[in-house]
Amino acid sequence: MAQTDSIETILKEKRTFAPPETFSKQAHLNNLEEYEILWEQSQKDPVSFWEKAADEIHWFKRWDKPFVWNEPHAQWFVGAKTNAAYNCLDRHLKNGRGNKLALIWEGEDGQIVQWTYQELHQRVCRLANGLESKLQLKAGDTAAIYMPLVPEAVVVMLACARIGVVHSVIFAGFSSPSVRDRVLDAECKAVFTSDIGYRRGQVLELKKTIDEAVAGLSCVKHTVVLQRRSKTKMVGRDVDYDDLCENQPSSHAAKELDAEHPLYFLYTSGTTGKPKGIVHTTGGYLVGVTKTAKLIFDLKDKDVFWCTADIGWVTGHSYVVYGILSNGMTSVIYEGALNYPHPGRIWEIIDRHQVSIIYTAPTAIRSFMRSGDEHPQKYKLDSLRLLGTVGEPINPEAWMWYYNLVGKGRCPIVDTWWQTETGSILISPLPGVTALKPGSATRPFFGIVAEVVNEKGQACAPNEGGYLVIKHPWPAMLRTIHRDPDRFKQQYWSRFKGMYFTGDGAHMDENGYFWIKGRIDDVINVSGHRLGTMEIESALVSHPSVAEAAVVGRPDTLKGQGIVAFVIPRETAGTDGIEELGNVLKSHVVKEIGSLARPDEILFTKALPKTRSGKIMRRLLKDIAAGKEVSGDTTTLENPGLLDIIKPN
Ligand code: WT7
């Protein structure tokens, strides 16, 4: 199990923090007794809770049935019609929020763009009209979005949603082979990109990556290019983004879509080499993200909300775009690195835009901590009223630092547990009522029936470690894996009968608080992002100098987990220049997957520890990677000589 050290610290964590009175007073939920009653009811009857929550959004037609369950296939709000873009835009124009800021964008160079709901609506309508009339895109088609975090990327997502085109956002850090696999798997008709992006003062040539990625793919009919640097003449399948929107009407009738119409695919790593196209729907997803955002972030009309995630991840989908705009909030987006060009950049942006709620990852918090207390201390940060974290367990030290130095002891922290597959937050404090314990995501949200179970699927005793499962479907959950329903069933619904298997280890304490320990499968969590070890292994063995490779995670104080690769080089590779080969292989992984998968260390070996049936004993590799004594049972080891690491000369 990952991060055993942090589990030990967490087990000793006994501090609790009641909601500050000033916060509670103004919160949507602030009465503990009422909360407990509502929570108990929602546990017994999740469907009624969610059916009521569905009133938060607009439906063109109401449902015939709130929920149909045909394990493992759930349907929510069956027969109903809605539209995600309509809910994120038109509804607010009708409610007098047209002049409210929807997006505040800041570029790494300090450039600022602000769009009201009305402006965003007009841009989305123009693009939607262009997509329908010029590119003949229609409901059910699929499109990839490979764009930097610019406001136009949000326009593209919403324009697709408006006409029923299923979008697949691909993080703009992925390299062309990874993009190609995803575009092909989803059979994308259109790909949206931008000539360039900016990161740490450097220019990323995104259009070049896309050209390589889609070369020869016949499914792709158009590549739409947002030209930021300079206008060049578009050739072949390329279409200029501005040309596409030019002269298009600034109004558009949003398509009335089935609640179960897919809104997007999002590819995420699994235990095999092939990423999974997680399928999310329109109605249930929107209900899930709207309700959770409102209560967990205690959203009020005057809030300025900043989730620092990129739209390439689920956090960006649910709490930069859909859940935040559907609540009519102002959403801040920033294209650059949070500590560039100076370590206090994040705090500077908070002060400049008067951000009231910040939502970021533990890995980022640890890096801010490391660069020194003086940076947040230079800023006022008095606009903040609530802090959030997501992506991995937060160590109590980082939690305390966030609480004291950023929140000045005045802001509750919501530690939110969820996954790409869950669509919306499932376990989190409710900031006006929940007493916080540093390192715990606290309790399940209303209507979420979570439990920790043992190997047999029986509930664990308090403080006993086991597997985190969800025992009742919820509206924002994934519906399937695109083109792979068997894998969907196998991965999530086969381990324990009738329960959604999360793949996380956890324990529940005597107060019913959940403590998530991390992944129990061969998936590692690097800087809050899941990476499949198999995916990295496949990239390594695709290099001609590699005979065999095994990748494991090891605890990393900054990134949560780091990547260590054990590699058996081919005979021909020789041992001279083994150090150099290490660097070559690191670059190779970057070229194949993207820089997020770059191994921290490559250890060359002549053999890998295997069982008699030929399975690599990863448990042993993890110990070695972490620099620990190899512990536990080694009797099943086929080659007790273990690892014979080739030392660089
Ligand atoms: C995995 C999901 C959900 C958006 C970001 C990552 C880990 C996530 C927490 C948390 C402990 C967490 C889990 C989970 N995780 N949030 N608050 N505490 N662990 O999405 O890439 O789908 O990864 O991230 O291990 O299974 P993802």
Side-chain angles (χ1 to χ4, degrees):
M1 213 166 278
Q3 302 180 348
T4 33
D5 294 342
S6 73
I7 297 167
E8 278 155 26
T9 354
I10 278 170
L11 278 174
K12 290 185 214 121
E13 184 57 54
K14 289 278 181 261
R15 288 172 283 200
T16 61
F17 295 81
E21 205 180 63
T22 44
F23 188 96
S24 275
K25 261 195 201 146
Q26 58 79 58
H28 286 302
L29 281 171
N30 52 16
N31 182 318
L32 196 56
E33 276 159 52
E34 278 170 28
Y35 158 79
E36 290 290 0
I37 293 167
L38 192 59
W39 190 83
E40 284 298 339
Q41 280 171 354
S42 83
Q43 294 291 304
K44 286 193 200 104
D45 184 4
V47 177
S48 295
F49 171 80
W50 290 116
E51 197 169 13
K52 230 165 150 195
D55 288 337
E56 304 257 352
I57 72 165
H58 175 84
W59 302 89
F60 298 115
K61 175 180 176 286
R62 281 182 82 81
W63 48 94
D64 305 319
K65 286 188 190 147
F67 173 60
V68 175
W69 181 228
N70 193 348
E71 192 186 333
H73 303 288
Q75 286 174 284
W76 286 86
F77 311 114
V78 182
K81 301 269 187 201
T82 188
N83 183 291
Y86 182 96
N87 272 287
C88 290
L89 301 167
D90 306 50
R91 201 158 55 107
H92 309 313
L93 303 190
K94 293 201 164 81
N95 295 341
R97 279 176 172 146
N99 292 325
K100 179 175 176 174
L101 287 183
L103 293 178
I104 299 177
W105 173 81
E106 186 164 322
E108 205 174 56
D109 65 358
Q111 202 192 329
I112 291 168
V113 168
Q114 301 189 326
W115 288 345
T116 61
Y117 270 96
Q118 188 165 11
E119 284 174 282
L120 183 59
H121 176 260
Q122 289 181 356
R123 285 172 194 270
V124 169
C125 288
R126 281 201 200 98
L127 180 61
N129 283 315
L131 296 179
E132 284 181 333
S133 66
K134 292 189 186 158
L135 306 189
Q136 276 79 49
L137 290 179
K138 54 179 192 320
D141 288 342
T142 49
I145 304 176
Y146 185 76
M147 292 178 81
L149 192 44
V150 289
E152 287 83 356
V154 178
V155 174
V156 175
M157 289 169 78
L158 292 173
C160 287
R162 199 165 181 93
I163 63 176
V165 167
V166 184
H167 61 66
S168 163
V169 182
I170 303 169
F171 175 60
F174 280 113
S175 61
S176 52
S178 294
V179 177
R180 190 181 178 86
D181 288 348
R182 288 161 169 79
V183 169
L184 203 57
D185 188 75
E187 294 171 285
C188 295
K189 258 198 179 167
V191 176
F192 293 85
T193 191
S194 150
D195 53 353
I196 53 166
Y198 297 97
R199 184 99 183 160
R200 296 197 182 278
Q202 295 205 321
V203 171
L204 310 174
E205 300 281 347
L206 303 181
K207 174 63 166 47
K208 277 200 185 128
T209 307
I210 283 299
D211 285 343
E212 277 171 36
V214 304
L217 291 189
S218 59
C219 60
V220 179
K221 307 292 178 223
H222 315 280
T223 42
V224 180
V225 188
L226 176 73
Q227 303 200 62
R228 306 175 75 193
R229 183 165 45 193
S230 60
K231 288 267 178 194
T232 57
K233 206 172 161 296
M234 299 275 90
V235 290
R237 291 180 282 194
D238 297 350
V239 182
D240 178 78
Y241 177 92
D242 293 325
D243 289 352
L244 191 56
C245 302
E246 204 181 312
N247 298 325
Q248 292 295 328
S250 60
S251 65
H252 174 274
K255 194 145 178 77
E256 301 188 6
L257 298 165
D258 276 340
E260 286 291 314
H261 184 82
L263 177 60
Y264 66 84
F265 301 157
L266 188 57
Y267 286 83
T268 189
S269 299
T271 48
T272 74
K274 197 172 172 284
K276 310 179 272 195
I278 301 301
V279 179
H280 281 295
T281 58
T282 303
Y285 174 78
L286 210 60
V287 169
V289 296
T290 305
K291 190 70 181 178
T292 50
K294 182 174 173 181
L295 295 185
I296 293 168
F297 299 117
D298 189 46
L299 298 176
K300 304 287 162 49
D301 209 27
K302 58 184 189 309
D303 277 315
V304 176
F305 185 91
W306 184 18
C307 163
T308 65
D310 190 274
I311 48 153
W313 311 114
V314 74
T315 314
H317 285 66
S318 300
Y319 302 106
V320 171
V321 182
Y322 292 109
I324 300 304
L325 299 180
S326 72
N327 273 295
M329 294 295 114
T330 300
S331 189
V332 174
I333 51 180
Y334 168 58
E335 185 181 356
L338 296 170
N339 56 2
Y340 186 90
H342 61 85
R345 184 65 190 265
I346 179 173
W347 321 123
E348 178 190 71
I349 295 176
I350 290 173
D351 273 7
R352 176 156 44 245
H353 302 295
Q354 293 291 289
V355 171
S356 56
I357 304 166
I358 178 95
Y359 188 34
T360 195
T363 182
I365 298 167
R366 287 191 297 268
S367 82
F368 304 141
M369 236 173 118
R370 192 179 271 199
S371 49
D373 297 358
E374 66 273 25
H375 302 292
Q377 278 164 348
K378 264 186 245 157
Y379 298 88
K380 287 209 186 90
L381 304 181
D382 55 352
S383 55
L384 288 175
R385 65 182 195 91
L386 179 65
L387 316 174
T389 77
V390 60
E392 50 174 319
I394 182 164
N395 47 312
E397 297 70 29
W399 195 101
M400 288 309 306
W401 187 88
Y402 199 29
Y403 191 78
N404 288 324
L405 274 111
V406 181
K408 319 273 187 202
R410 176 188 80 232
C411 311
I413 297 179
V414 286
D415 174 351
T416 63
W417 178 88
W418 58 300
Q419 309 176 298
T420 304
E421 292 88 339
T422 70
S424 60
I425 297 168
L426 298 197
I427 305 181
S428 170
L430 290 167
V433 288
T434 312
L436 308 173
K437 301 188 190 185
S440 170
T442 76
R443 295 178 75 186
F445 189 71
F446 298 117
I448 301 299
V449 187
E451 194 159 83
V452 178
V453 298
N454 63 18
E455 286 288 348
K456 292 187 188 133
Q458 301 151 332
C460 289
N463 294 317
E464 183 192 344
Y467 305 96
L468 177 64
V469 297
I470 313 295
K471 295 173 70 179
H472 190 285
W474 64 100
M477 72 186 219
L478 81 163
R479 296 299 190 266
T480 188
I481 293 174
H482 183 55
R483 301 213 305 193
D484 207 346
D486 293 341
R487 193 173 172 196
F488 167 68
K489 193 170 172 194
Q490 174 62 31
Q491 176 79 43
Y492 306 107
W493 300 97
S494 305
R495 186 76 179 254
F496 302 113
K497 208 181 144 21
M499 304 181 200
Y500 169 83
F501 178 62
T502 66
D504 277 3
H507 75 266
M508 200 176 75
D509 70 15
E510 57 286 357
N511 302 119
Y513 279 39
F514 285 76
W515 299 79
I516 319 289
K517 300 170 191 180
R519 308 291 309 178
I520 44 138
D521 48 22
D522 291 330
V523 169
I524 49 184
N525 187 327
V526 180
S527 301
H529 300 300
R530 253 196 285 172
L531 288 171
T533 49
M534 262 287 281
E535 225 170 318
I536 307 171
E537 286 162 8
S538 317
L540 283 165
V541 295
S542 74
H543 191 277
S545 300
V546 176
E548 221 178 321
V551 169
V552 295
R554 73 165 169 217
D556 183 294
T557 50
L558 207 56
K559 297 193 289 185
Q561 282 188 286
I563 303 170
V564 179
F566 293 85
V567 168
I568 306 181
R570 280 191 195 285
E571 294 292 328
T572 50
T575 50
D576 303 341
I578 204 94
E579 211 159 358
E580 197 185 310
L581 180 58
N583 290 330
V584 168
L585 293 180
K586 284 181 189 175
S587 307
H588 182 70
V589 173
V590 172
K591 198 174 118 257
E592 289 296 307
I593 305 178
S595 48
L596 67 167
R598 180 199 301 272
D600 295 284
E601 192 172 359
I602 293 192
L603 294 168
F604 291 97
T605 167
K606 288 179 189 147
L608 289 166
K610 289 188 183 168
T611 61
R612 277 172 206 119
S613 60
K615 259 190 103 181
I616 295 175
M617 294 180 75
R618 291 168 175 282
R619 182 167 53 77
L620 305 185
L621 294 180
K622 280 180 199 166
D623 284 348
I624 296 166
K628 285 196 232 163
E629 283 280 305
V630 172
S631 58
D633 187 13
T634 53
T635 49
T636 51
L637 197 64
E638 155 74 13
N639 43 354
L642 241 184
L643 279 174
D644 186 3
I645 305 285
I646 306 170
K647 296 270 180 315
N649 38 16

